[in-house]
Amino acid sequence: MKQNKGLNRRQFLRNSTIGIAGAGLLAHENWLGASQEEQEEAPKIKEYRTLGRTGFKVSDIGSGGPMEPSILSALLDANVNYIDTAENYGSGQSERVTGEVLKGRDRKSIFVTTKLGIGRKSSKEQILKRARKCLERLEMDYVDCLMMHSPDKVEIVKSPGFHEAITELKAEGRVKYCGLSNHGAQWKDKVDPTEQVVGAAAEDGRFDVMLLVYNFIQKDSGERLLKICREKNIGVTLMKTNPVRSYHSMKEEAEKLEKEGKPGGFYKAILPRLKEKADKADHFIKKYNLQNNNEIRDAAIRFVLNNQDVHTVCISFNNFDDVANYVKLSGGRLTETDQAKLTAYREGCGTLYCRHACGICEPECPQGVPVNTIMRYDHYFAAQGREKYAMMKYAELSAQKANTCQTCEGHCESACPYGIPIQGLLALAHQRLTLV
């Protein structure tokens, strides 16, 4: 995880007129000497939206996977009231942090979601045991929503064990709503397309909330998912809303590896294609004055908030700067300037963004490389600044890693409908995630 660099706590309170500063960053009662004026000037969430059939009014900016107590406290003091976590975030640490920080808060005013990974043979008893462990870590009597975490087959969506467990937990008052998250293929075996999985969950009728991928580059598929949810009055929360990464740094890294000559054969064959795409991106960035990634980031969030089918955007807040920068976007709407920048960015840089939850190329890989999963870890590293977490997840991956891509003929790249130099991106991801 990225450390809390940037603003310190006192600066955060005093300089938060451009973003959300939380009172009680270390504890709700302890403002460390912040004056009443400083407390009052801290901006707050500006908009709440009805989370589908749940009827709950959630903040349009939500917290995704909290790991730092002080950061989550700041968000709650800014009136963020949607918290997304999971049993496997930090091996349960995210749930522990959520429970610790929510002590003494008005629990009924905060919507808490946690998630369980469900297998094809997960039994009711196994799921009940794990769900109750979640509640123990959260130190809560109930969670507002228990989600099935990233099922990749329609048959899992209909898991008898999961739904029987949900029914029992609801009867006990331990769970209010049932949900589903999906960010594409996992590496284990053959999977169903995301739209098919989400569509099956919507038709099933037992899922009240979904966590989905939608952003200005991955626009069409995201809007199809939003339409499915709107028609069934399902609450929509979002992840992967900012596809922007530093292509300048990516190009520099590729050139550095080329100079080092490792591995020579691979880079002679593949790196020129990757550099060609990066050069084109550079051209558009300079032509349309898109060199300020923060402006694009803000426009990307306003893009998704502009869609009323979106109820809250789950963001991983790594430091106080993130709190200030993201929560200030609450209530925002897309401007003409925003739209022009995003259109130019998509045209010039879209071919360097591997679409989350896509997986089109994976069946073509003779080595079974989990392209979607590896590129998601690379996104955590390069776009979200979660370097340690990304490297840990990649190290834990028992499937074929991307080092095999260096000597491949490029089956994935030939199959990609978006023209992405995915073979090169996979190889760079392997370099980053292993530091080789």
Side-chain angles (χ1 to χ4, degrees):
M1 293 292 295
K2 205 173 185 178
Q3 297 300 311
N4 292 349
K5 298 176 182 177
L7 291 174
N8 64 32
R9 186 183 174 284
R10 190 175 295 277
Q11 290 171 325
F12 184 56
L13 284 169
R14 290 179 175 170
N15 301 333
S16 60
T17 54
I18 61 167
I20 300 301
L25 297 181
L26 300 180
H28 185 51
E29 307 83 25
N30 182 8
W31 285 56
L32 295 182
S35 69
Q36 183 67 29
E37 180 180 353
E38 289 170 343
Q39 296 175 29
E40 290 176 352
E41 75 178 4
K44 307 291 182 182
I45 286 292
K46 302 180 185 70
E47 184 175 358
Y48 295 84
R49 300 182 178 187
T50 302
L51 189 64
R53 66 176 70 138
T54 73
F56 200 100
K57 294 284 189 180
V58 295
S59 52
D60 57 352
I61 300 293
S63 172
M67 296 295 287
E68 294 287 345
S70 58
I71 301 300
L72 182 55
S73 285
L75 292 169
L76 292 172
D77 287 322
N79 294 335
V80 169
N81 74 343
Y82 187 92
I83 303 174
D84 175 271
T85 185
E87 67 170 352
N88 68 339
Y89 289 175
S91 300
Q93 181 62 13
S94 175
E95 290 177 325
R96 295 185 189 95
V97 166
T98 300
E100 174 189 341
V101 174
L102 261 64
K103 289 177 182 177
R105 304 273 181 171
D106 180 6
R107 175 66 183 85
K108 292 182 180 180
S109 69
I110 301 169
F111 197 101
V112 177
T113 292
T114 195
K115 303 187 286 293
L116 300 175
I118 305 299
R120 288 161 175 75
K121 298 181 180 179
S122 295
S123 68
K124 170 187 171 182
E125 290 71 25
Q126 291 171 332
I127 295 168
L128 284 172
K129 182 178 180 180
R130 289 165 59 199
R132 288 173 177 143
K133 283 291 184 182
C134 290
L135 289 165
E136 287 179 16
R137 288 189 291 268
L138 286 162
E139 299 185 73
M140 294 177 184
D141 295 328
Y142 72 95
V143 289
D144 296 275
C145 182
L146 180 62
M147 283 190 174
M148 180 183 287
H149 198 176
S150 199
D152 50 21
K153 290 282 286 184
V154 168
E155 66 180 271
I156 298 179
V157 168
K158 301 179 182 297
S159 165
F162 177 79
H163 290 290
E164 289 168 8
I166 287 286
T167 298
E168 184 166 325
L169 291 165
K170 284 183 175 180
E172 295 174 355
R174 308 284 271 169
V175 169
K176 290 188 175 183
Y177 304 105
C178 175
L180 175 144
S181 72
N182 191 288
H183 48 39
Q186 304 297 303
W187 57 267
K188 297 178 183 177
D189 48 35
K190 187 175 180 180
V191 300
D192 293 329
T194 293
E195 288 185 41
Q196 189 174 332
V197 172
V198 172
E203 289 297 327
D204 179 273
R206 289 176 287 186
F207 293 91
D208 307 298
V209 183
M210 293 195 188
L211 175 61
L212 306 170
V213 173
Y214 176 48
N215 59 60
F216 73 91
I217 292 180
Q218 202 163 342
K219 180 174 178 285
D220 294 340
S221 62
E223 289 182 351
R224 287 193 293 269
L225 298 178
L226 294 181
K227 181 176 183 291
I228 290 170
C229 292
R230 180 180 68 246
E231 291 173 347
K232 300 295 182 180
N233 196 23
I234 294 170
V236 172
T237 66
L238 295 183
M239 56 182 162
K240 315 295 190 295
T241 50
N242 177 20
V244 175
R245 58 187 291 183
S246 175
Y247 295 123
H248 291 296
S249 64
M250 184 201 70
K251 183 181 177 183
E252 290 171 2
E253 182 178 1
E255 290 173 344
K256 177 183 176 183
L257 291 171
E258 182 183 35
K259 289 178 182 178
E260 293 175 353
K262 56 179 190 180
F266 163 73
Y267 284 100
K268 285 181 181 178
I270 297 171
L271 194 58
R273 300 201 301 270
L274 182 62
K275 288 174 65 178
E276 180 183 355
K277 301 285 187 180
D279 286 340
K280 181 181 178 183
D282 278 345
H283 170 74
F284 273 84
I285 286 171
K286 292 172 182 176
K287 179 178 179 180
Y288 293 98
N289 192 27
L290 304 177
Q291 299 184 46
N292 186 338
N293 274 355
N294 291 341
E295 290 182 0
I296 303 297
R297 173 203 64 201
D298 292 355
I301 300 301
R302 286 193 288 266
F303 171 85
V304 296
L305 291 179
N306 209 58
N307 192 321
Q308 289 301 303
D309 292 334
V310 172
H311 302 132
T312 192
V313 178
C314 294
I315 294 172
S316 296
F317 294 88
N318 295 314
N319 51 54
F320 295 131
D321 288 322
D322 284 348
V323 179
N325 290 329
Y326 282 109
V327 184
K328 70 178 182 181
L329 302 175
S330 174
R333 294 294 182 272
L334 197 67
T335 67
E336 290 185 6
T337 300
D338 288 337
Q339 185 63 67
K341 286 182 177 291
L342 295 183
T343 298
Y345 200 95
R346 183 169 57 245
E347 181 180 355
C349 307
T351 55
L352 288 172
Y353 167 59
C354 180
R355 274 63 169 169
H356 290 96
C358 174
I360 291 175
C361 68
E362 286 192 356
E364 305 303 319
C365 178
Q367 301 296 327
V369 174
V371 177
N372 183 78
T373 300
I374 292 173
M375 293 310 298
R376 185 169 71 253
Y377 295 162
D378 188 60
H379 179 81
Y380 295 155
F381 187 105
Q384 295 186 359
R386 300 163 66 189
E387 293 95 342
K388 291 181 181 178
Y389 176 75
M391 295 175 71
M392 178 189 71
K393 296 299 291 183
Y394 190 62
E396 293 173 351
L397 190 64
S398 58
Q400 177 63 58
K401 292 184 171 62
N403 56 313
T404 191
C405 302
Q406 299 168 358
T407 56
C408 179
E409 296 178 5
H411 302 280
C412 59
E413 201 161 307
S414 298
C416 178
Y418 305 108
I420 296 168
I422 186 60
Q423 189 178 8
L425 292 179
L426 282 166
L428 288 182
H430 180 75
Q431 299 284 343
R432 260 193 298 266
L433 297 172
T434 57
L435 294 181
V436 296

